[in-house]
Amino acid sequence: MLRRLLLPLALLGALLAAAAVGNASTTKSAGLVGEVGPGFSIEVKLNGKDLKTIKAGTYKIKVEDKASVHNFHLIGKGLNKKTTVPFMGDQTWTITLKAGKVTYQCDPHAARGMKGSFRVT
């Protein structure tokens, strides 16, 4: 009797797992966060750590703009996305990262060192 119940349950589990994999999106939600302000700081983190390198692909990035005197500007191959200077708040962007260097900066304060970069492989 127990065997009769276990087999259909195991098959159902395998079908559900296959469906979930088949419906997986190509957009990766890798814990990417871009943050600017409230002081004169700007950074991009991956799962809480400073981002140095990342594989090419499509990602979601949460941008946290914490100061009305700054913006968050992301620049790379085929990528040019930014918040406005008076904007404060959170935005989530879907971005495509191509191999090369990506720079992030606060446009009004980039010359004063408010910028950084990471590599896309």
Side-chain angles (χ1 to χ4, degrees):
M1 178 73 176
L2 183 59
R3 227 182 243 179
R4 266 191 230 167
L5 288 175
L6 289 178
L7 182 59
L9 286 176
L11 289 174
L12 179 61
L15 287 173
L16 289 173
V21 169
N23 289 332
S25 171
T26 57
T27 300
K28 303 166 192 159
S29 179
L32 278 175
V33 177
E35 184 179 320
V36 62
F40 283 79
S41 65
I42 189 165
E43 58 191 0
V44 175
K45 292 190 173 200
L46 175 61
N47 297 322
K49 296 179 183 174
D50 287 335
L51 181 61
K52 302 293 183 202
T53 61
I54 193 168
K55 289 185 180 181
T58 301
Y59 294 87
K60 289 193 181 288
I61 181 170
K62 180 181 178 187
V63 176
E64 300 172 351
D65 192 333
K66 299 179 178 181
S68 63
V69 297
H70 300 306
N71 75 329
F72 184 88
H73 193 174
L74 199 55
I75 307 156
K77 200 178 289 183
L79 177 64
N80 186 5
K81 194 113 170 121
K82 62 183 169 181
T83 62
T84 60
V85 172
F87 174 79
M88 284 181 61
D90 295 347
Q91 294 182 359
T92 301
W93 300 338
T94 300
I95 57 173
T96 300
L97 299 175
K98 297 177 182 174
K101 182 179 177 181
V102 174
T103 300
Y104 51 93
Q105 65 186 34
C106 167
D107 292 329
H109 303 109
R112 294 171 64 188
M114 241 182 121
K115 61 185 173 181
S117 64
F118 58 90
R119 305 263 341 133
V120 180
T121 59

